[in-house]
Amino acid sequence: QVQLVESGGGLVQAGGSLRLSCAASGRTFIGNTMGWFRQAPGKERQFVAYINWTGGWSWYADSVKGRFTISRDNGKNTGYLQMNSLKPEDTAVYYCATGGRPSLAVHDYDYWGQGTQVTVSS
């Protein structure tokens, strides 16, 4: 069992930055892919980025490529999502998740955090 807790969300103006953290406890998340997803009101949960268990390979949704950076520190059992040049359309609840293999699909992730709200004002 892995427990995930996100933090770092908040209200920011367009063009600003936020850094989300995802702290894992319980069984270590070493060996697992870590992903970030987001869900806006009335919309389906969508893929944002994932990073493999070594941290050596990552993948991003086109909508965030070049603006967001995913990283992880396995020694601290913590993952991160650095979000720069934020836009109003980035407003959503952001979730971290862990899974057995790199994937863009929600159903491939086994454990999820409770989410953290990110609101970008124009």
Side-chain angles (χ1 to χ4, degrees):
Q1 188 83 11
V2 175
Q3 292 81 42
L4 303 174
V5 178
E6 303 96 335
S7 61
L11 173 64
V12 65
Q13 288 188 333
S17 298
L18 284 173
R19 188 193 196 202
L20 305 183
S21 297
C22 175
S25 60
R27 186 167 64 88
T28 182
F29 78 162
I30 290 177
N32 292 323
T33 296
M34 186 190 76
W36 286 94
F37 291 76
R38 66 187 181 186
Q39 188 166 17
K43 296 189 176 181
E44 292 187 350
R45 193 166 297 189
Q46 66 174 192
F47 169 77
V48 175
Y50 70 65
I51 189 167
N52 75 327
W53 76 273
T54 66
W57 191 54
S58 57
W59 192 259
Y60 298 89
D62 287 343
S63 59
V64 307
K65 202 172 294 182
R67 300 187 298 122
F68 291 10
T69 303
I70 190 172
S71 62
R72 65 190 295 168
D73 183 339
N74 288 337
K76 296 181 178 179
N77 270 3
T78 302
Y80 306 95
L81 185 68
Q82 177 67 43
M83 306 186 295
N84 298 329
S85 302
L86 283 161
K87 304 175 181 180
E89 51 264 44
D90 294 319
T91 295
V93 177
Y94 283 71
Y95 300 89
C96 68
T98 62
R101 65 187 182 93
S103 173
L104 280 64
V106 170
H107 60 74
D108 282 329
Y109 290 81
D110 304 309
Y111 301 100
W112 293 81
Q114 83 290 347
T116 185
Q117 176 71 47
V118 171
T119 303
V120 184
S121 63
S122 58

